[in-house]
Amino acid sequence: MLCECFPKMKGCKIVVWLNAFFTSAYYPVLIAVLMVLSNLFSLELPVYYIYIFFVVLAALLAEDLLPVVPVLCCSYMTVSAPNNPADFSPVSPSVVNDGRDVSVFYKPEFQLQLAFLIIVAALVLIARLIFTLIVRPNKRAPKLCIGFAVLGAAYLLGGAFSGFYAFDTVLFGFVQVAALCIFYFLFYYTVDWKKVKIGYWAFLFTVIGFGMVCETIGLYFLPGVVVGGEVIRAKMVTGWGMYNNVGCILAMCLPAPFYFAAVKKYGWIFTLTGTVFMLALAVTQSRGSALFGCIVYAACAVAVLIKSAKAEKIAHVIVFGSVAVVLGICAVVLWDKFIDLFNSLIGIGFNDNGRFEIYRKCLNVFTEHPWFGVGFYETPGFRWGAMPEGSFLPPRAHDTYMQLLASGGIVALAAYLYHRAETLLLFFRRPSAEKTFIAFSAAALVLTSILDCHFFNFGPALLYSVILICAEGTEIRNGIPLKKRKKAQTK
């Protein structure tokens, strides 16, 4: 922004170095490393200051807002277990039982600084957006704008004419749809997608995936997780979610390395990377994420074998076969250790954990209020952790379709299906290898949300918005002739 107001600044060594750093591989790696450090060592506030520092620099000096994308993706997964707002809230029994202090997120001094950082970030991003729209107006509307508008209207109308329609459900619906699309629109207008390197999404989500592997390992060092050699999965709760939430994010990252496996020389290394992600996903002990993660993994494997070069196919087959053999041997030799590791998961088996009863109640609510449902706060559901009375986050139905039917009725379900049709059209129009694996990442969220509430959680929603704009960005870039594309990317 400043460089366009003062053109001489473009030649400044600091500005040149900064833009080179923002477009390098080191930058997203640094953002992900900070995410892991914050999560493992309770460094939320220092990391947030660093993140906002980068956001301000990007808004003022970078060529576009692409450097904000890694910060957005990683911010949600920074919260550490000792600062979990649910487990260490003022009303949480665990605070009384183990003498722990409440989460820093309830302390006024932390809240004040966090509010300051959010306001600063919002102001500079809005300023950059307005500046970009004035200097380089984009007359084309995003491909998914109608679907998001329809979905947003349906969320805001959830519970209308039911007797439960109130400001709180309207506000929650607004925040939900904002998490799904606000950054989709922001990055559509403020990122020059013609200059974004091919495979940017894949590299970013591969880096985030490695970060999630580290956080998954960190779960096993939490108090009470490993007792007498057995793993108690109920204790696997990080600061921003439980094992199911970690599994969802890992499932969304799973397809990223497979894109490189399909298009790169020595792609078998990335096939091995994707397999590590899948193993980490299993170790999260999230049944739904592991189940649907296996489906996504299989789809990625098939796509890799179809799209990779002939010589690479052999290497991929060797990797897949070797992994299967090694896992089989380990299962036989280390069977007792395997039982200890997954004892909690085996014990719960196919127990629905109350989901089917919730689904039945949702259907009953739907039959009573079929058009607009009863809103988000009257929808039958449950949530993990103790939240203060009147918490903004309501219990959820743990299934996208049951949630839509009960919270917003036929109107919400129809709006969601329209949005889903638009996303499918986006993925199938002008197909490419990159867009195929981006679609698998979106599918991971959609599938895992069949048995959980991930689509109505803010973190996965933010990553979903990035996935969608990256898919549309590839279409914008691929619509440009190859020579012009290469020329734009070298500037």
Side-chain angles (χ1 to χ4, degrees), residues 250-462:
L250 256 174
M252 295 175 73
C253 295
L254 180 62
F258 285 109
Y259 164 74
F260 292 122
V263 301
K264 292 287 187 180
K265 190 176 182 180
Y266 306 116
W268 63 269
I269 297 174
F270 296 100
T271 295
L272 199 57
T273 301
T275 302
V276 170
F277 285 9
M278 185 63 231
L279 293 175
L281 179 54
V283 172
T284 63
Q285 311 228 17
S286 170
R287 292 178 298 170
S289 298
L291 170 63
F292 294 114
C294 285
I295 296 174
V296 173
Y297 180 87
C300 290
V302 172
V304 165
L305 293 176
I306 292 174
K307 294 180 178 294
S308 58
K310 186 176 182 180
E312 296 294 325
K313 285 183 174 63
I314 299 174
H316 292 311
V317 171
I318 292 173
V319 170
F320 287 128
S322 300
V323 168
V325 170
V326 170
L327 288 178
I329 294 174
C330 289
V332 173
V333 175
L334 304 173
W335 181 253
D336 291 339
K337 297 293 184 182
F338 176 83
I339 293 298
D340 288 341
L341 176 62
F342 294 104
N343 183 60
S344 294
L345 195 61
I346 294 171
I348 197 170
F350 292 100
N351 188 321
D352 68 293
N353 212 6
R355 281 174 172 79
F356 290 152
E357 178 61 19
I358 291 174
Y359 301 161
R360 184 187 64 79
K361 291 180 179 179
C362 285
L363 290 175
N364 289 339
V365 168
F366 168 67
T367 57
E368 295 175 4
H369 304 278
W371 289 104
F372 294 98
V374 294
F376 290 100
Y377 289 90
E378 295 298 325
T379 296
F382 63 85
R383 64 181 170 214
W384 293 98
M387 298 294 284
E389 185 178 352
S391 171
F392 179 68
L393 193 65
R396 266 77 52 82
H398 285 64
D399 172 82
T400 300
Y401 305 98
M402 293 296 107
Q403 182 81 51
L404 290 167
L405 287 174
S407 300
I410 293 173
V411 172
L413 180 61
Y416 173 81
L417 292 177
Y418 183 88
H419 166 70
R420 186 59 55 229
E422 276 195 341
T423 58
L424 289 174
L425 182 61
L426 171 64
F427 288 126
F428 284 105
R429 183 179 53 231
R430 296 179 183 173
S432 66
E434 188 174 11
K435 198 185 281 189
T436 297
F437 288 95
I438 295 176
F440 289 156
S441 185
L445 174 60
V446 174
L447 290 173
T448 55
S449 298
I450 292 175
L451 296 175
D452 222 309
C453 53
H454 301 308
F455 194 77
F456 293 90
N457 285 337
F458 301 128
L462 294 174

Side-chain angles (χ1 to χ4, degrees), residues 40-113:
L40 297 182
F41 302 107
S42 302
L43 298 173
E44 289 91 344
L45 198 56
V47 168
Y48 293 162
Y49 271 104
I50 297 172
Y51 277 1
I52 298 303
F53 176 69
F54 285 136
V55 169
V56 172
L57 285 180
L60 296 179
L61 299 174
E63 295 180 354
D64 58 23
L65 285 186
L66 188 65
V68 178
V69 175
V71 174
L72 173 71
C73 291
C74 292
S75 294
Y76 184 76
M77 287 87 75
T78 54
V79 186
S80 60
N83 287 323
N84 187 305
D87 280 357
F88 297 107
S89 73
V91 299
S92 175
S94 63
V95 179
V96 178
N97 293 340
D98 63 11
R100 286 297 309 276
D101 196 2
V102 297
S103 166
V104 294
F105 286 88
Y106 294 109
K107 296 182 178 181
E109 59 273 21
F110 182 91
Q111 292 176 337
L112 184 62
Q113 293 183 74

Side-chain angles (χ1 to χ4, degrees), residues 128-138 189-190:
R128 182 59 188 257
L129 173 63
I130 295 172
F131 179 84
T132 302
L133 292 175
I134 294 173
V135 175
R136 292 188 301 275
N138 190 340
Y189 289 107
T190 59

